[in-house]
Every structure is written in structure tokens, then in C-alpha cells.
Amino acid sequence: MEVSERRRFLLFCFLPTTILVSGAFLMGNVIIAPDYKERLPGQIAINATKINATKIVGAKVCQAHCRSDDGEPLPRGIVSRTSDLDMRSLRGPFISEKKRGTSTNLLAIAAGIKQKESVNKIVTKFLSNDFVIMLFHYDGIVDDWRDLEWSSLAIHVSAMDQTKWWFAKRFLHPDIISEYDYIFIWDEDIGVEHFDVEKYLSIIKEEQLEISQPALDPNNSVVHHLLTLRDSTSKVHRRIHRRLGLRKCDGNITGPPCSGWVEIMVPVFSKAAWRCAWLMIQNDLIHGWGLDELLGYCVKGNRTQNIGVVDQEYVAHHAVPTLGGSPKDQTNPHLPDQAAQNMTLTNSELQAPSVPTQAMERDEVIKRCFYELRIFRRRWHKAVQDDECWVDPY
């Protein structure tokens, strides 16, 4: 009985205390929990925002500095943006790009089988000077070149009745030939008896010529423009001082065809100049008429200084008929004075027809050339007018 009363006493004493403590605890949760719940998500949200902002900023930095549209899906280290025309072996030990040596210059020639002997002489001159050789076969004949010792080392591209500039636009993209310091894009009917490739390269580097050509031998060449004639008293000339048709080349004229100009028969480009020139070649205008007038825009600095004709190393222009040609050394009587018109004609495009069929074909070619020239000039003038940000440096 005494024990029961003691238990009853303890129960009545501690129960109210327990109830009060429990109530206080519950009230504290009610008061404290909402504040905790309000603060905790806020902290999480702030931290998440900071993380996301860091990721976004990093992505924008990568996009601005590391990425381009064409390489976006790929990791940066695997993207290979440029190429070259050097041939690789199918077998044997692998040699990486960094360790293997590459050719430093490129010679591209539009060639027909009738000019095989002439082309062979040209190529032989260039082979010993670390050049890649590329032949554009406009007559579709390739196999007949195989007997030449260097033929297997050259790159052969064939397409029927296409011009040098058609080939160049499609197969000499600047990203493909970016490894080459100088690009020679020559016609096939060139005599190189007085031409030394190594000396020529040395001169254009010394003179800082970004676009150049070897001078023409006045005794063995068909000459369309007096600026290209060799001056035997100089190493390089950049202008002439004489009358060309109705135009007088004096100190007041600093543009083509008095200075800052080469003929598109045997041009030589630096890699930077070629990138610009390639962009100016119109995909649908295959004869290249009008390009020579504007090549001065493709050199850095002053075109009267960075474009020139090399007299010390000169060539002969034989004017052998191609793409419909005609007898040697006979110009087309239907053509006006080209120098006066400030335009350039290739070796094969100034020749008179020798037979009625050739005459008809030749006339059609000439008509097409003039038509393309008008289109090219119109496009240039329209581009100048439409581009408000472009400023003519001349």
C-alpha cells in the first residue's frame, strides 16, 4: 500500500513536468522549423545559382576563345583544320606530321599532252627545289605522262576543257595549301632556259614581293603588256613610264597596268596573298579575266611596292595554242588594244584561229571571256557599293 501511494505520488509529480517539457519542445519546433525551412532552400538556391553561373561563364569563354562552328561537336585537340598535297606512304613505319619534312612551295600547271615537252622542262627545274608538283589536265589525258620520271611524284587532276582558274578554285583551297610559302600557278607554254627557281625565291623574299612574276624575254615571247617585259638593267621593276594606248604611265598613276600589277599567265603568290586571291576568284567565272586588275588589294601595304616583275630571272612566253588555239605569234585581229583597256589575256586567249572550225571555237571562247569580264567588273562595283564597312585603300 505504501508502495502504491509512492508510485501514485511520483506519477502526479512528474507527469505535469513531462507534459510541460514536451509541449515546450513541440512549440519550439513549430516556431523554429519554418524559419529553418525558409532559410535552408534559400541557401541551396544561392549555391546552385553560383555553380550554374560559373558553368555558364566558362561555357561562354570556351565558345568565344576555343570553339568555332565547324569544330563545335569535337574536342579541341582532335580538330585538324588544314591539309597539304604531300603524298603519304601506304606501308612502313608511321612518321607523324611534326617529325616528317614537308615541301615548302607548290607549282601548279594547266597542261595538255601536246605541251608535254615544255611542261617536262618546267617541272624538272622545280623538282630540285622542294616543290610539290600539280598538273591540271584540261584534255583528259593522264596516262601518257607516266613515262616521265617525276610523273609518279606529281598530283594529277583531270577535267575536260577546263581552265587553270577553274582548277585552282576547286583544288587549291587556301586551307589545303596553307603549308606552302609560295604558290606558282603557271601556264604550260613557258620557256625556262634563263630561269633559276632558287634565285627567284631568294629575290622575291629579299624584295618582299607578295605577288610577282618572272619578266618576259623580249626576243622570244609574245608580249601582251609592256609592264611584263624584261628590263636587263634591273633586278626587279614595279612600274613603267611610257604611254600605253590612250593611257600615259607617269608618276600620277599608281595602279594597273602601270604598276602594282602582274599578268595571270605566270603569277607567283605568297600564301597570304593567295588566300585573298582565291576568295576573289568567282566560282562560275572560269577564265579569270579581271583578276589582274584587282590583285593589288591582296597584298599587305602598298601594291606599288609589294607587287613586282623579276628581271634577273626571266622566262619566254611561246604562246602555243591551247583550248582552241591558233598559229604561233599571231594575235587575234578582232581584239582591241588590251593594254589600253587595262585587262589581261592569257597566252591561249589572244591567238587567232588557223582553220574555220578553230576560228568558230576561238570566237566563242573570246566572247565568253569578254562576257565574264563584264560580269566580274559589275560584281566588284556592286560589292564596293553594298559594303559600308569596306574602305578602298587606293
Side-chain angles (χ1 to χ4, degrees):
M1 186 70 181
E2 187 175 333
V3 174
S4 299
E5 290 179 359
R6 184 177 298 176
R7 288 179 178 174
R8 201 178 287 120
F9 172 77
L10 293 172
L11 180 64
F12 282 117
C13 288
F14 288 103
L15 182 60
T17 303
T18 303
I19 293 172
L20 288 174
V21 172
S22 300
F25 179 76
L26 291 174
M27 289 297 293
N29 277 344
V30 172
I31 295 172
I32 295 172
D35 181 61
Y36 174 78
K37 290 178 181 178
E38 287 176 3
R39 285 186 286 119
L40 185 59
Q43 292 173 350
I44 295 173
I46 291 172
N47 291 336
T49 301
K50 289 181 179 179
I51 294 172
N52 290 335
T54 301
K55 289 182 177 180
I56 291 171
V57 171
K60 287 183 178 179
V61 170
C62 286
Q63 184 175 6
H65 297 285
C66 307
R67 302 293 184 187
S68 64
D69 294 338
D70 55 349
E72 185 67 31
L74 302 174
R76 181 174 51 178
I78 202 64
V79 175
S80 181
R81 299 189 182 280
T82 62
S83 183
D84 57 49
L85 296 172
D86 288 11
M87 296 185 185
R88 268 63 171 181
S89 174
L90 292 174
R91 58 190 68 84
F94 172 76
I95 303 176
S96 68
E97 290 283 341
K98 295 181 180 179
K99 293 182 179 180
R100 70 186 299 274
T102 58
S103 300
T104 56
N105 303 291
L106 170 68
L107 169 67
I109 304 178
I113 194 61
K114 292 181 180 180
Q115 303 308 319
K116 182 178 178 180
E117 182 180 352
S118 174
V119 172
N120 182 40
K121 291 179 180 179
I122 297 172
V123 172
T124 302
K125 284 266 187 175
F126 282 79
L127 277 177
S128 60
N129 288 274
D130 200 21
F131 272 76
V132 166
I133 307 299
M134 193 171 192
L135 296 189
F136 300 140
H137 299 281
Y138 59 79
D139 57 3
I141 300 174
V142 178
D143 289 345
D144 288 356
W145 295 81
R146 294 187 183 277
D147 61 317
L148 297 176
E149 184 178 354
W150 51 263
S151 180
S152 61
L153 303 176
I155 298 171
H156 301 265
V157 182
S158 177
M160 286 296 297
D161 293 330
Q162 299 304 310
T163 69
K164 176 172 68 176
W165 301 108
W166 182 93
F167 284 105
K169 184 65 174 179
R170 286 152 182 81
F171 300 103
L172 296 182
H173 188 282
D175 286 347
I176 294 177
I177 60 175
S178 63
E179 299 298 321
Y180 308 122
D181 295 330
Y182 292 98
I183 299 94
F184 290 61
I185 305 179
W186 282 18
D187 287 355
E188 61 189 335
D189 56 344
I190 304 300
V192 291
E193 288 77 11
H194 303 286
F195 182 78
D196 185 289
V197 180
E198 187 175 357
K199 291 181 180 178
Y200 185 90
L201 289 170
S202 177
I203 291 172
I204 62 176
K205 290 175 183 177
E206 178 186 347
E207 297 287 335
Q208 298 182 343
L209 298 178
E210 295 187 43
I211 300 178
S212 64
Q213 74 160 85
L216 299 184
D217 184 349
N219 300 318
N220 296 291
S221 301
V222 175
V223 178
H224 306 315
H225 301 280
L226 295 178
L227 181 61
T228 64
L229 273 178
R230 179 181 180 235
D231 181 352
S232 59
T233 64
S234 71
K235 181 168 65 175
V236 172
H237 72 268
R238 294 173 170 85
R239 65 173 300 115
I240 56 172
H241 298 273
R242 64 182 68 185
R243 182 173 295 278
L244 299 177
L246 300 177
R247 181 190 296 270
K248 182 180 180 181
C249 290
D250 54 26
N252 296 323
I253 298 179
T254 59
C258 301
S259 67
W261 182 87
V262 298
E263 193 169 2
I264 58 175
M265 179 204 331
V266 283
V268 179
F269 300 88
S270 69
K271 70 171 69 177
W274 174 246
R275 180 171 290 275
C276 169
W278 185 89
L279 292 171
M280 192 162 55
I281 298 171
Q282 304 294 289
N283 193 62
D284 56 342
L285 304 181
I286 64 172
H287 288 284
W289 279 31
L291 285 175
D292 55 340
E293 300 174 352
L294 303 174
L295 286 178
Y297 291 100
C298 288
V299 297
K300 298 177 182 177
N302 192 337
R303 66 184 174 187
T304 63
Q305 295 299 317
N306 297 332
I307 298 180
V309 178
V310 177
D311 297 296
Q312 184 170 309
E313 302 304 319
Y314 58 100
V315 297
H317 175 206
H318 298 314
V320 176
T322 56
L323 293 177
S326 54
K328 181 180 178 180
D329 297 342
Q330 183 179 0
T331 57
N332 192 322
H334 301 294
L335 293 180
D337 182 354
Q338 301 303 330
Q341 287 201 26
N342 188 23
M343 68 179 67
T344 297
L345 304 181
T346 64
N347 56 298
S348 62
E349 290 166 346
L350 263 175
Q351 306 308 307
S354 59
V355 296
T357 301
Q358 288 181 331
M360 294 176 61
E361 292 177 354
R362 197 68 206 146
D363 285 345
E364 290 302 314
V365 171
I366 293 298
K367 289 178 183 178
R368 172 65 179 268
C369 290
F370 275 113
Y371 183 66
E372 288 193 6
L373 175 63
R374 290 194 296 270
I375 293 175
F376 181 77
R377 285 174 170 171
R378 284 201 299 265
R379 288 181 184 178
W380 173 263
H381 292 310
K382 185 177 187 303
V384 171
Q385 293 174 356
D386 293 347
D387 192 339
E388 297 178 355
C389 297
W390 186 79
V391 178
D392 192 335
Y394 305 114

